[in-house]
Amino acid sequence: MLAVAQIDYIRHQVNQKGETYANVARKMDIDPRTVTKYANQEEFLVKKAQKRVSKVMGPVKPIIDKWIHEDLKKKKKNHRTAKRMYEQLVKFHCFKGSARTVRDYVSKRKKEIREYIDGAALPLETMPGTAQVDFGTAPFLYQSEVIDLPYLVMSFPYSNTFLFQVFPSENTECLLEGLQRMFRYMGGVPKTIRFDNLSPAVKKIKGKGQRELTDTFERFVLHYGFRYEFCNPGKGNEKGHVEAMVKYVRNNFLLPECVVIDLDHFNQTLWQLAEEDRCRPHYLKQELQSKLYKEDQKEWLILPEKLFECARYQEMKADKYGIINVDNKEYSTSPRFAKQRVKICISYNSIIVLNKDNEVIVTHSRLYGVKRRSMIWQPYLDLLSRRPKAIKYSSLYDQFPEVWTTFLNNCTEEEQKDVLRLLGKLLKNNDFTLLNEALNLASVHGHPSTDQIKHCFYSLLNQGESHVAITPRNKVPIMPSVIRGLTHYDAFFHEGGVGE
């Protein structure tokens, strides 16, 4: 095809100056038929570029594209190289092209896909594989008392589906534990998750939309590899889908008050509720939400092999009794760590006290609600048995169950030592239940001794156990019948009697 300037010259010379086609063709050194064509052409339509289909690369391009999209869900170290793709094409797809051709195509496609992803500005509601997260609150009946507990909701706007779990608090450890449980149950990780400015995740909001994340949340994001987004302050509508789903979950699954005996067991039942709810049509797309949820699944990132430790570590100094304070709750350590620094591992349901060598000193269940102190007595009983008079008037002494505090107050110093040594042997897992029963049983006839308490304890412990009759090893001799008088003694002196 001639250039625009050449076509313009032909039309000017022939149509306006009256030159012959042959003269113009001779001057331009082209075929006279070409001059005739352009001199008389009526329309100059834009010629569409024809897409050439490569006989070699054409059949395998969709395969390579599929591999590239699969790799983008994985960590970079697990991506296929162009060389590896070429080898697989040759081995499994009878590819006849060169390694260089594959390498060039892979490089080009990766660049195109990255540019598309970086330039995409679609709202989360329209993109499969994305999620929104927020906490809600609902009343629960726990130990005959109605209490408010938070529940964590992860919603999937594309499919209008959700997952949720109930927790004792909205702290960082509960947030990360909830997210990790959901990822593991889903079998994947959403590509992008939008949050409100939750304090468990955001330490500080800076200018120009920047956030300073909490250390544990930042490590969690790096571990699972998802992109995070945060709403602008006061703009809850930017995560409108999850806010609507928080209300939906409360109204349809948590009201009236659910009875909770064991929170972990209760949470296990919630997965099935979320799955059953997907068996309804999408409010706009008129397709089953379960089908749309599968499209969400296809876009999720692959789970890392290892679990993330949803815990934070910090060092703190114990007081003179070996007590530490975590989030305004008190936890015992050991008398030998009084006024010393210890390391604390804080998870959503436990407080683990460690020494400088990371050896476990003691493990507590994490406290929530009104209870303020957790005492594990085993580490203290040896000290108590050696110094009962000194400890008697301390606050530690009052942490015993009331029945034991009253009993020890009525003991002599020597009796206290014996009793505390007995407690050191019998107390297991900080459970005073059986010991309380034993003390009450032994106290029926007055102030009991240590031996009486011990006897009652083992009697209660062995209740209901079957006992096998004892069979003597040696043969017991047959004794003569009882006869009044002394004549029965003669049997011992007769031949063949017992005395022989």
Side-chain angles (χ1 to χ4, degrees):
M1 182 178 177
L2 298 180
V4 175
Q6 290 175 306
I7 295 171
D8 188 58
Y9 175 78
I10 291 171
R11 293 173 68 83
H12 179 76
Q13 293 294 319
V14 173
N15 298 332
Q16 295 187 25
K17 286 194 172 184
E19 289 280 353
T20 63
Y21 302 133
N23 286 339
V24 174
R26 194 166 39 254
K27 289 178 182 178
M28 297 182 67
D29 195 22
I30 59 176
D31 192 296
R33 288 174 295 183
T34 304
V35 174
T36 304
K37 172 188 171 183
Y38 286 111
N40 299 310
Q41 188 168 327
E42 296 290 336
E43 291 184 286
F44 289 86
L45 300 175
V46 176
K47 189 174 181 180
K48 294 182 180 179
Q50 291 185 346
K51 195 172 183 180
R52 289 181 59 196
V53 178
S54 171
K55 292 181 180 180
V56 177
M57 284 297 294
V60 299
K61 282 181 179 179
I63 298 171
I64 297 174
D65 288 352
K66 181 174 177 287
W67 288 346
I68 293 173
H69 279 94
E70 286 176 351
D71 286 349
L72 289 174
K73 299 178 183 179
K74 305 174 185 176
K75 292 182 178 179
K76 188 172 182 179
K77 68 177 183 179
N78 296 327
H79 289 191
R80 302 173 180 87
T81 61
K83 178 174 179 280
R84 182 60 178 158
M85 290 185 186
Y86 168 72
E87 291 170 350
Q88 289 184 306
L89 289 173
V90 171
K91 185 174 181 180
F92 299 109
H93 300 279
C94 303
F95 181 66
K96 302 298 182 183
S98 67
R100 182 183 182 87
T101 306
V102 173
R103 188 166 61 248
D104 291 344
Y105 179 76
V106 169
S107 176
K108 174 188 170 186
R109 284 298 288 146
K110 283 186 175 181
K111 184 179 179 182
E112 289 173 353
I113 291 170
R114 287 195 193 99
E115 287 176 351
Y116 172 77
I117 292 172
D118 293 341
L122 294 173
L124 287 181
E125 284 77 3
T126 67
M127 297 177 64
T130 61
Q132 297 181 8
V133 169
D134 202 6
F135 276 106
T137 305
F140 293 85
L141 189 61
Y142 180 69
Q143 293 184 347
S144 302
E145 183 182 356
V146 177
I147 58 173
D148 285 339
L149 290 177
Y151 58 98
L152 184 69
V153 177
M154 178 183 289
S155 72
F156 308 99
Y158 179 79
S159 58
N160 196 41
T161 56
F162 61 88
L163 294 170
F164 70 107
Q165 293 281 279
V166 180
F167 286 95
S169 176
E170 294 185 25
N171 57 38
T172 302
E173 295 74 44
C174 288
L175 170 65
L176 302 188
E177 175 68 22
L179 291 176
Q180 180 158 260
R181 283 185 195 176
M182 293 174 186
F183 294 163
R184 294 289 159 177
Y185 183 78
M186 293 156 53
V189 181
K191 291 192 295 187
T192 304
I193 304 178
R194 179 172 290 171
F195 299 86
D196 201 348
N197 294 289
L198 299 169
S199 57
V202 179
K203 189 186 299 183
K204 185 179 180 182
I205 300 176
K206 300 181 177 180
K208 298 181 180 179
Q210 297 297 312
R211 305 290 194 283
E212 183 181 349
L213 304 181
T214 59
D215 175 66
T216 315
F217 181 78
E218 195 165 34
R219 288 188 293 105
F220 183 85
V221 171
L222 292 173
H223 182 84
Y224 281 104
F226 62 89
R227 290 178 59 191
Y228 58 84
E229 295 180 358
F230 290 101
C231 301
N232 290 311
K235 298 290 184 181
N237 60 296
E238 294 179 355
K239 57 173 180 57
H241 188 269
V242 73
E243 290 202 341
M245 203 57 76
V246 165
K247 294 178 184 177
Y248 180 84
V249 167
R250 183 191 297 114
N251 294 338
N252 288 275
F253 303 107
L254 302 178
L255 293 178
E257 296 87 354
C258 296
V259 178
V260 176
I261 298 173
D262 180 89
L263 193 55
D264 288 335
H265 180 267
F266 178 75
N267 276 325
Q268 285 298 318
T269 67
L270 303 182
W271 304 121
Q272 185 65 28
L273 294 178
E275 285 193 14
E276 291 172 354
D277 190 75
R278 296 174 199 151
C279 299
R280 57 190 177 95
H282 190 281
Y283 64 99
L284 285 178
K285 300 172 184 176
Q286 299 306 313
E287 286 189 79
L288 277 180
Q289 292 183 168
S290 56
K291 181 180 178 183
L292 297 171
Y293 182 77
K294 290 180 180 178
E295 293 181 31
D296 268 323
Q297 286 180 308
K298 292 176 184 176
E299 299 299 324
W300 288 340
L301 305 174
I302 292 176
L303 279 171
E305 292 181 8
K306 294 182 180 179
L307 285 171
F308 180 82
E309 186 182 16
C310 299
R312 58 188 166 98
Y313 288 83
Q314 64 184 78
E315 285 192 1
M316 56 181 59
K317 187 176 181 180
D319 66 14
K320 62 181 180 180
Y321 302 117
I323 304 295
I324 56 169
N325 189 301
V326 179
D327 297 334
N328 296 319
K329 305 289 185 181
E330 296 179 339
Y331 300 89
S332 63
T333 60
S334 169
R336 61 195 178 99
F337 291 99
K339 295 187 177 182
Q340 294 187 35
R341 298 193 70 80
V342 290
K343 185 184 290 186
I344 314 299
C345 174
I346 305 168
S347 71
Y348 87 100
N349 63 349
S350 68
I351 302 290
I352 303 174
V353 184
L354 308 164
N355 63 17
K356 63 180 181 180
D357 297 319
N358 290 322
E359 297 169 337
V360 176
I361 301 169
V362 69
T363 300
H364 294 267
S365 293
R366 188 168 181 178
L367 297 179
Y368 294 100
V370 295
K371 189 176 179 182
R372 295 200 69 251
R373 174 172 284 195
S374 174
M375 285 293 303
I376 303 295
W377 282 106
Q378 281 86 344
Y380 287 84
L381 291 171
D382 181 60
L383 175 64
L384 287 169
S385 67
R386 289 185 281 112
R387 301 174 57 195
K389 185 178 286 187
I391 301 296
K392 181 177 179 179
Y393 301 103
S394 74
S395 61
L396 288 179
Y397 201 79
D398 296 330
Q399 299 303 313
F400 272 80
E402 185 178 355
V403 62
W404 283 97
T405 302
T406 303
F407 172 68
L408 286 165
N409 279 327
N410 293 325
C411 289
T412 64
E413 186 174 336
E414 288 303 314
E415 286 176 332
Q416 287 176 358
K417 290 180 180 180
D418 292 338
V419 170
L420 292 169
R421 276 194 289 268
L422 178 67
L423 284 175
K425 294 178 182 178
L426 303 183
L427 184 61
K428 303 296 180 186
N429 301 320
N430 213 46
D431 185 2
F432 275 88
T433 305
L434 200 59
L435 284 165
N436 291 346
E437 291 182 37
L439 179 56
N440 286 327
L441 183 61
S443 302
V444 170
H445 300 293
H447 187 82
S449 67
T450 305
D451 288 337
Q452 288 174 314
I453 298 171
K454 183 178 180 181
H455 174 76
C456 289
F457 175 84
Y458 282 111
S459 296
L460 291 168
L461 184 65
N462 296 322
Q463 264 185 358
E465 293 186 2
S466 59
H467 299 280
V468 179
I470 300 174
T471 304
R473 293 183 180 179
N474 300 321
K475 186 177 180 181
V476 179
I478 300 172
M479 302 301 292
S481 302
V482 177
I483 303 173
R484 289 183 178 278
L486 302 176
T487 57
H488 61 283
Y489 284 105
D490 294 341
F492 287 98
F493 302 102
H494 291 163
E495 186 177 351
V498 177
E500 291 187 3

